[in-house]
Amino acid sequence: MTERRFTRTMVLCLAATAVAFGAVVTGPILTQSGFETPLWAVASLLIVFGSPVATAVAALAGSDRGVRAGLVLTSAGFVVLLLTLELGLRSGTLPPEAGAPWILGITPLAAATAALVLPPLAAWGYSLALAALVAVARMLAFPESIADVALQDALVALLLQSVFAGLTLATLRAARSLDAAATAARAQAVADAQAEARAREQRHTDALIHDTVLATLLLAARGSSGAPDQRAAELARRGLQQIEQLAAPTVAAGPVGGQELVWRVQALTTDLDPYAEFVWTVASELELPAMVADVVVDAVAEALRNSLQHAGAEGVARTVVVDVRDRELHVAVLDDGAGFDLAAVRPDRLGIRLSVTERLAALAGGRALVSSQPGEGTSVVIGWRADAAG
């Protein structure tokens, strides 16, 4: 998440800032250490410098709990040190030659730390309280200060703290906005994927109904009043099997080789039109995902059924051509029958549009081209490219 990355980066920067501050105030620290109690002197060094460094180590280790604990310790520790500054001095005050307490110049570090761990209003309140403590601590621990100087130091501290806290809060707010936008985008992507999956399933169901139920009813209606049409009966059995497969649990199937696909298309062609010419070429060991093979075979079946129903009853020659190459598959279903005008097909007619064109368009790497003119036959070319499928 963006917020987490920013917090980690900010923690590392604060650790570097603490080390830099330490280098700047090394002289005052050494000078004033002789006037401080050992406990307060050690505690101040650990909180002001050790805590930010330890928090950075927790950030590098990926410990969010360690980072939060370090930020809380640093923020609270500064307040405690300022409240106990007078008690931490052996005589309660510093002599004029020692200068003002060194910790008063490092409060912006505490303000930035608090901005990372507190809500915005609480972080601003923390900065105001810290500035007030700076004024009080300067007057109590350094009697040479007058009220005007203490107030001036408090205002300068507040200004610097506001800059540090403001930049931290603004960047943190931007990081949270990015996280919220990313979360919303992921949720929308999931919703879109679910909608596409439902639409794809609906297209598959519609195609199944058209390919089996409607085709069976049509063949039965064209059959004689005598014995049932065997082809219609076989088509009905196949449709029932496909419907049962829809209700059955999904089982992952392995890839289908090019030769196996040829056999499946040949068996289908022989079953639907034993007189159709079948031509095939397998020039490589191309393997198709099981779903791709199923879609291709179903599309070929619909193209053949459409030709049988609309190309004409007598004297129509049909040819099925399968061409398997290195990363590509082509299947063509051709007839020299009646043909039709593509522009004149009503949008509400399912047929080729639903069972072939849209079915292949919904398949990654798939495509289908239907060509026909009245009196000039029909060609349906089905293709799939492994490269385009990813």
Side-chain angles (χ1 to χ4, degrees):
M1 295 176 64
T2 306
E3 180 182 355
R4 186 172 184 269
R5 290 196 299 270
F6 166 72
T7 301
R8 175 181 173 179
T9 301
M10 191 64 186
V11 164
L12 297 178
C13 292
L14 290 177
T17 303
V19 173
F21 272 135
V24 172
V25 298
T26 298
I29 290 175
L30 294 176
T31 301
Q32 296 173 15
S33 61
F35 304 98
E36 299 168 351
T37 63
L39 178 61
W40 194 93
V42 172
S44 64
L45 294 177
L46 290 176
I47 291 174
V48 175
F49 305 112
S51 180
V53 173
T55 306
V57 172
L60 291 175
S63 174
D64 293 339
R65 295 180 62 181
V67 168
R68 184 172 182 81
L71 294 174
V72 171
L73 176 62
T74 304
S75 303
F78 263 89
V79 175
V80 172
L81 289 176
L82 291 177
L83 288 173
T84 61
L85 176 58
E86 186 181 8
L87 298 176
L89 299 174
R90 295 180 187 276
S91 60
T93 60
L94 286 172
E97 65 272 15
W102 62 266
I103 193 174
L104 302 183
I106 309 181
T107 54
L109 177 66
T113 302
L116 285 175
V117 75
L118 295 176
L121 288 178
W124 288 118
Y126 178 91
S127 293
L128 287 172
L130 211 59
L133 287 176
V134 167
V136 173
R138 183 177 178 90
M139 294 184 64
L140 293 177
F142 198 56
E144 295 297 322
S145 300
I146 59 175
D148 289 345
V149 175
L151 179 60
Q152 180 180 351
D153 283 359
L155 291 176
V156 171
L158 181 60
L159 176 61
L160 294 176
Q161 290 165 193
S162 298
V163 172
F164 275 68
L167 290 175
T168 302
L169 289 172
T171 310
L172 191 60
R173 182 169 59 250
R176 288 170 177 164
S177 297
L178 288 175
D179 284 338
T183 300
R186 285 193 295 269
Q188 185 60 46
V190 171
D192 291 344
Q194 291 174 341
E196 175 60 24
R198 288 192 294 269
R200 187 166 54 249
E201 186 64 24
Q202 184 62 50
R203 287 194 298 267
H204 178 66
T205 303
D206 291 344
L208 175 62
I209 292 174
H210 178 273
D211 293 353
T212 57
V213 178
L214 296 182
T216 302
L217 292 176
L218 182 60
L219 286 176
R222 291 180 175 179
S224 63
S225 58
D229 190 296
Q230 293 299 319
R231 189 167 53 180
E234 177 59 28
L235 187 59
R237 282 193 296 271
R238 185 181 301 131
L240 290 174
Q241 291 174 355
Q242 292 178 331
I243 293 173
E244 289 175 354
Q245 289 174 0
L246 282 178
T250 302
V251 179
V256 177
Q259 188 65 58
E260 181 181 349
L261 179 72
V262 168
W263 292 336
R264 289 174 60 175
V265 175
Q266 184 179 33
L268 173 71
T269 303
T270 303
D271 182 39
L272 292 178
D273 186 3
Y275 300 103
E277 182 182 4
F278 186 80
V279 181
W280 58 273
T281 302
V282 178
S284 73
E285 296 298 327
L286 173 67
E287 288 192 340
L288 296 81
M291 181 184 68
V292 173
D294 290 341
V295 169
V296 169
V297 172
D298 289 344
V300 172
E302 176 54 26
L304 277 171
R305 280 192 288 267
N306 191 77
S307 176
L308 289 167
Q309 294 169 15
H310 302 295
E314 301 293 338
V316 176
R318 295 181 183 85
T319 304
V320 177
V321 182
V322 182
D323 186 11
V324 180
R325 300 203 174 270
D326 185 25
R327 301 287 291 171
E328 192 169 1
L329 165 72
H330 291 282
V331 182
V333 179
L334 314 171
D335 71 55
D336 59 358
F340 61 96
D341 184 0
L342 288 170
V345 178
R346 299 197 312 271
D348 60 338
R349 294 292 300 273
L350 297 177
I352 290 291
R353 176 179 61 82
L354 177 64
S355 296
V356 178
T357 308
E358 291 188 3
R359 182 179 286 179
L360 267 295
L363 186 67
R367 63 194 182 282
L369 177 64
V370 180
S371 301
S372 185
Q373 290 291 338
E376 297 182 8
T378 302
S379 71
V380 179
V381 180
I382 298 163
W384 180 79
R385 284 185 61 86
D387 295 338

